[in-house]
Amino acid sequence: MALAETEQRAKRRHPGSGEGKGRSHPKGRQLDDQALTEVQTLLGDQARDRDLLIEFLHLVQDRYGHLSAAHMRALAEEMRLSQTEVYEVATFYAHFDPVKEGEAAPPDLTIRVCDSLTCEMMGAEALMAALHASVEPAKIRVVRAPCMGRCDTAPVAEVGHRHIDHATAEMIAEAIDRDDTHAIIPTYQSYEDYVSSGGYAQLEACRSGALTVDTVLKTLDEAGLRGLGGAGFPSFRKWQFVRSEPAPRYLAINGDEGEPGTFKDRYYLEREPHRFLEGVLIAAWGIEAEKAYIYMRDEYPAVLTILKAEIDKLETEGVVEPGCIILRRGAGAYICGEESAMLESIEGKRGLPRHRPPYAAQVGLFGRPTLIHNVETVTWMPTILDKGAVWFASQGKGSSKGLRSYSVSGRVKEPGVKLAPAGITAKELIEDYCGGMADGHGFKGYLPGGASGGILPASMADIPLDFGPALDKHGCFVGSHAVVILSDQDNIKDVAVNLLKFFEDESCGQCTPCRLGCEKAVKLMSAKTWDQPLLRELSKAMSDASICGLGQAAPNPIRSVMTFFTDEIS
């Protein structure tokens, strides 16, 4: 008996024998050979670098319409990553569709309907209802989506990758019938046309020594060029900070234009991509960047197509070495507009904002000093170097310097990108640039800086729209210069709730004040009467304790309504 018991124990110690209680196969999800072959075919001979994870997830999503568990397992195997790393990135971004075993894959076609503020004002809810009533859910998926950067043509829907402006259910049905689901590439200035009009002359002046770094820095300083993505930090100082750090250095361009009401970057990229690309190369030259990364939001498929083609053209023409400019595609996450979250996303990770310090100028992309610029900021650089600092600075009004691209939407006759002097007022924008208020609408209020910039009444429409104390003292800011005009037919309380729902959906969830604060705020604001003391306390906690600007600025609409529109919440 003793001998038999010893043999049984020995068998249990060796599970590979197939006897006893040991496992006969490895623990966890098993690798599927066919899925591995499919992933290897998609990736081809590309390096399996960790920072390419999001790019590879896009390849799988684009080819198969979703991310199956088998493909994610195969991708983890191919990239030598844990399955957890792949899965947490795939589930972080809204444009990926992870599907577990036993779950149904999404339909082949997805219709996204923008439900951000301007689109909601223009009938997005009615459009959603009409689509749900008219499509077969098994064949077509209809989902809500945040701002698509087309606020001047609201309401907007995206059928596959085809944007429908001023969308109706009938227009969408016609696009589906025609199988018109691909992005429309607009006519834009080609490389040849740009060069023939003097393009890339300023880059050549920099590279040849005709312009020195000190000269360029002085010009940018005197011109008053600032970061035009929201913060408004002087551009020349960014260069100085990064240049003072040891090489290698990187340049990162933030093209994740996700602030509701903002569409100026798309406007320029779909028209003058080479003015932007020359600005990118000038900035890269200025800090002696090893590489320049352009992070572009996935909601701009036409821009992504244009930039890829024109970067290839620059390489073919010998303007840049292959691999000098790297285009990275976002995947549907507003938080990646925050600069450190963008860096995380470029590295192939979840877009979680980093704690600061250290700042990106010291420890940025891949741990190296990184200069971060907005699309419009670098787009101005060739023009300023060509026409001079005095020309640009003199365009502003009062103490403001330069020109600004205001994204104007809402209740005006002629919405769109309005190139106007920095420091212009909302009243002047409406009357002199937008043809006045839309017929039947009386001016009631406006957002001076998109969803996070606060809300002001029409009686305060003479405040200069620029960085600085003019707006700051009212708890507002100009941000990315997205101006949304509200009328007497808009309920300000509903406007504020829409904005907070956006922040609730787009919070990355990393910090409690933002994650739970936005959720709590939406519930309190949806009540018939607002609990104003509690909302003030909540707003202060969010502003003081949130990690990044999303949570810090999210309470601005709440405070604005309680300050300037008290009659609508009593």
Side-chain angles (χ1 to χ4, degrees):
M1 292 292 295
L3 179 59
E5 185 177 346
T6 301
E7 290 175 346
Q8 289 298 321
R9 286 179 178 173
K11 289 178 179 178
R12 285 197 291 270
R13 293 193 193 103
H14 301 282
S17 66
E19 301 182 43
K21 295 182 179 180
R23 292 182 178 273
S24 60
H25 56 79
K27 186 178 180 180
R29 182 173 285 116
Q30 302 306 297
L31 183 62
D32 181 274
D33 290 339
Q34 180 179 343
L36 179 61
T37 299
E38 291 169 346
V39 166
Q40 290 172 336
T41 300
L42 284 173
L43 272 53
D45 58 0
Q46 297 184 73
R48 272 51 168 171
D49 295 338
R50 173 64 179 81
D51 58 290
L52 292 173
L53 176 57
I54 293 174
E55 297 295 308
F56 292 163
L57 287 170
H58 274 304
L59 290 176
V60 178
Q61 175 84 28
D62 290 346
R63 172 63 180 82
Y64 296 99
H66 63 281
L67 302 173
S68 69
H71 283 135
M72 286 189 286
R73 170 68 179 90
L75 188 56
E77 179 75 14
E78 192 68 9
M79 297 187 72
R80 298 295 185 263
L81 298 173
S82 70
Q83 295 182 59
T84 299
E85 287 181 273
V86 175
Y87 185 75
E88 70 180 8
V89 171
T91 53
F92 182 85
Y93 296 94
H95 289 189
F96 292 140
D97 293 306
V99 176
K100 296 180 180 179
E101 294 94 343
E103 292 182 346
D108 292 338
L109 182 62
T110 295
I111 301 173
R112 289 184 165 87
V113 179
C114 176
D115 68 350
S116 290
L117 180 58
T118 306
C119 281
E120 185 179 77
M121 291 164 59
M122 300 299 175
E125 286 297 329
L127 177 59
M128 283 284 296
L131 290 172
H132 279 301
S134 61
V135 304
E136 284 188 60
K139 295 182 178 180
I140 300 175
R141 177 175 58 165
V142 179
V143 298
R144 296 176 178 273
C147 187
M148 297 179 184
R150 310 180 78 87
C151 314
D152 53 336
T153 57
V156 175
E158 187 181 21
V159 182
H161 290 299
R162 164 78 155 88
H163 284 102
I164 308 290
D165 296 327
H166 303 295
T168 64
E170 292 74 21
M171 294 168 65
I172 292 171
E174 290 173 3
I176 294 171
D177 290 341
R178 298 192 306 266
D179 194 25
D180 188 3
T181 60
H182 300 288
I184 295 177
I185 309 303
T187 301
Y188 60 88
Q189 187 179 37
S190 68
Y191 169 80
E192 290 77 12
D193 288 343
Y194 184 67
V195 170
S196 67
S197 63
Y200 291 106
Q202 301 308 313
L203 174 63
E204 179 57 31
C206 293
R207 289 177 170 177
S208 67
L211 286 174
T212 66
V213 173
D214 288 341
T215 300
V216 173
L217 283 170
K218 183 179 179 182
T219 301
L220 297 180
D221 180 17
E222 293 176 351
L225 182 64
R226 308 177 71 162
L228 299 175
F233 195 81
S235 298
F236 82 99
R237 290 206 181 278
K238 286 188 175 184
W239 286 33
Q240 290 178 327
F241 290 150
V242 177
R243 283 179 57 83
S244 68
E245 298 293 327
R249 310 180 190 98
Y250 292 106
L251 170 67
I253 303 297
N254 194 337
D256 198 71
E257 184 181 45
E259 181 78 8
T262 309
F263 47 93
K264 60 186 176 66
D265 293 350
R266 178 185 63 80
Y267 177 87
Y268 288 115
L269 291 170
E270 289 185 349
R271 290 163 175 78
E272 302 175 278
H274 283 284
R275 185 155 75 107
F276 160 72
L277 289 170
E278 184 176 11
V280 169
L281 292 173
I282 289 171
W285 163 84
I287 64 162
E288 299 176 0
E290 185 172 287
K291 291 182 180 179
Y293 287 81
I294 300 173
Y295 186 85
M296 187 55 53
R297 66 189 311 227
D298 198 35
E299 289 85 349
Y300 290 173
V303 171
L304 284 161
T305 300
I306 292 169
L307 288 179
K308 184 180 184 307
E310 299 313 308
I311 291 170
D312 289 346
K313 182 70 172 179
L314 292 183
E315 293 179 354
T316 301
E317 295 293 330
V319 179
V320 295
E321 294 292 328
C324 175
I325 303 177
I326 299 174
L327 179 63
R328 286 292 167 83
R329 176 181 172 188
Y334 166 75
I335 190 63
C336 291
E338 196 278 336
E339 63 177 31
S340 65
M342 175 194 67
L343 297 179
E344 290 287 297
S345 192
I346 291 174
E347 293 179 4
K349 305 171 185 174
R350 293 175 294 168
L352 299 178
R354 299 174 179 176
H355 291 271
R356 292 175 290 184
Y359 294 92
Q362 301 167 303
V363 182
L365 196 56
F366 308 116
R368 301 306 308 165
T370 302
L371 172 65
I372 299 175
H373 272 318
N374 166 260
V375 168
E376 188 191 0
T377 305
V378 295
T379 299
W380 277 116
M381 288 180 182
T383 306
I384 290 172
L385 294 180
D386 178 35
K387 296 188 177 182
V390 173
W391 169 83
F392 186 76
S394 65
Q395 302 295 322
K397 299 189 64 175
S399 61
S400 297
K401 291 184 177 182
L403 291 165
R404 297 287 188 270
S405 303
Y406 294 90
S407 304
V408 186
S409 64
R411 309 297 189 178
V412 292
K413 286 183 180 178
E414 301 168 12
V417 174
K418 309 299 178 180
L419 187 61
I424 196 171
T425 67
K427 182 179 179 182
E428 291 170 326
L429 273 177
I430 294 170
E431 295 177 354
D432 300 337
Y433 289 81
C434 299
M437 294 293 293
D439 293 339
H441 290 267
F443 185 26
K444 180 178 183 178
Y446 66 104
L447 280 65
S452 54
I455 311 172
L456 292 172
S459 60
M460 299 174 67
D462 57 352
I463 299 174
L465 295 175
D466 200 11
F467 305 107
L471 286 169
D472 291 349
K473 66 182 180 182
H474 299 294
C476 298
F477 54 77
V478 75
S480 58
H481 296 76
V483 182
V484 183
I485 306 300
L486 310 173
S487 82
D488 50 7
Q489 297 185 29
D490 296 312
N491 182 296
I492 301 298
K493 177 183 173 182
D494 291 343
V495 168
V497 170
N498 176 279
L499 300 178
L500 264 294
K501 284 183 176 179
F502 170 80
F503 292 126
E504 179 185 17
D505 291 340
E506 295 299 324
S507 172
C508 74
Q510 181 180 189
C511 69
T512 303
C514 177
R515 181 182 67 250
L516 296 184
C518 290
E519 179 184 352
K520 182 69 172 178
V522 169
K523 291 178 180 177
L524 290 171
M525 295 165 69
S526 299
K528 184 175 182 180
T529 302
W530 284 14
D531 185 339
Q532 296 189 48
L534 184 55
L535 278 168
R536 287 193 180 92
E537 183 180 354
L538 178 63
S539 297
K540 180 170 176 54
M542 292 173 65
S543 296
D544 291 349
S546 294
I547 290 173
C548 80
L550 190 156
Q552 294 163 9
N556 286 341
I558 304 173
R559 295 193 183 103
S560 294
V561 174
M562 292 191 295
T563 302
F564 303 114
F565 301 94
T566 54
D567 57 320
E568 299 211 18
I569 57 172
S570 301

